Short mmCIF file of all heavy atoms in Angstrom, two decimals:
data_model
loop_
_atom_site.label_atom_id
_atom_site.label_comp_id
_atom_site.label_asym_id
_atom_site.label_seq_id
_atom_site.Cartn_x
_atom_site.Cartn_y
_atom_site.Cartn_z
N ALA A 130 -27.19 74.51 -46.01
CA ALA A 130 -27.87 74.25 -47.25
C ALA A 130 -29.10 73.40 -47.07
O ALA A 130 -29.20 72.67 -46.06
CB ALA A 130 -26.93 73.56 -48.26
N ASP A 174 -41.51 86.49 -51.87
CA ASP A 174 -40.04 86.43 -51.78
C ASP A 174 -39.36 86.53 -53.15
O ASP A 174 -39.93 86.20 -54.18
CB ASP A 174 -39.60 85.10 -51.16
CG ASP A 174 -39.78 85.09 -49.66
OD1 ASP A 174 -40.50 85.97 -49.13
OD2 ASP A 174 -39.20 84.22 -49.00
N SER A 226 -31.58 89.06 -48.02
CA SER A 226 -30.15 88.89 -48.33
C SER A 226 -29.81 89.40 -49.70
O SER A 226 -30.69 89.68 -50.53
CB SER A 226 -29.70 87.41 -48.16
OG SER A 226 -29.93 86.65 -49.35
N ALA A 251 -29.19 98.91 -50.86
CA ALA A 251 -29.80 98.88 -52.17
C ALA A 251 -31.27 99.24 -52.12
O ALA A 251 -31.83 99.92 -53.00
CB ALA A 251 -29.63 97.48 -52.80
N GLN A 266 -34.49 84.76 -43.78
CA GLN A 266 -33.34 84.00 -44.23
C GLN A 266 -33.71 83.08 -45.41
O GLN A 266 -34.64 82.32 -45.31
CB GLN A 266 -32.81 83.15 -43.06
CG GLN A 266 -31.78 82.11 -43.45
CD GLN A 266 -30.51 82.73 -44.02
OE1 GLN A 266 -30.18 83.86 -43.83
NE2 GLN A 266 -29.83 81.92 -44.82
N LEU A 298 -43.04 74.89 -58.76
CA LEU A 298 -43.91 74.92 -59.91
C LEU A 298 -44.95 73.78 -59.89
O LEU A 298 -45.10 73.01 -60.86
CB LEU A 298 -43.11 74.81 -61.20
CG LEU A 298 -41.96 75.81 -61.37
CD1 LEU A 298 -41.25 75.61 -62.71
CD2 LEU A 298 -42.42 77.22 -61.18
N SER A 302 -53.43 75.33 -59.48
CA SER A 302 -54.46 74.63 -58.73
C SER A 302 -53.97 74.09 -57.39
O SER A 302 -54.61 74.23 -56.35
CB SER A 302 -55.04 73.48 -59.55
OG SER A 302 -55.71 73.96 -60.69
N ALA A 306 -55.06 75.27 -53.66
CA ALA A 306 -55.62 74.34 -52.71
C ALA A 306 -54.83 74.30 -51.40
O ALA A 306 -55.42 74.26 -50.31
CB ALA A 306 -55.63 72.93 -53.34
#
Side-chain angles (χ1 to χ4, degrees):
D174 283 16
S226 85
Q266 169 61 24
L298 309 181
S302 296

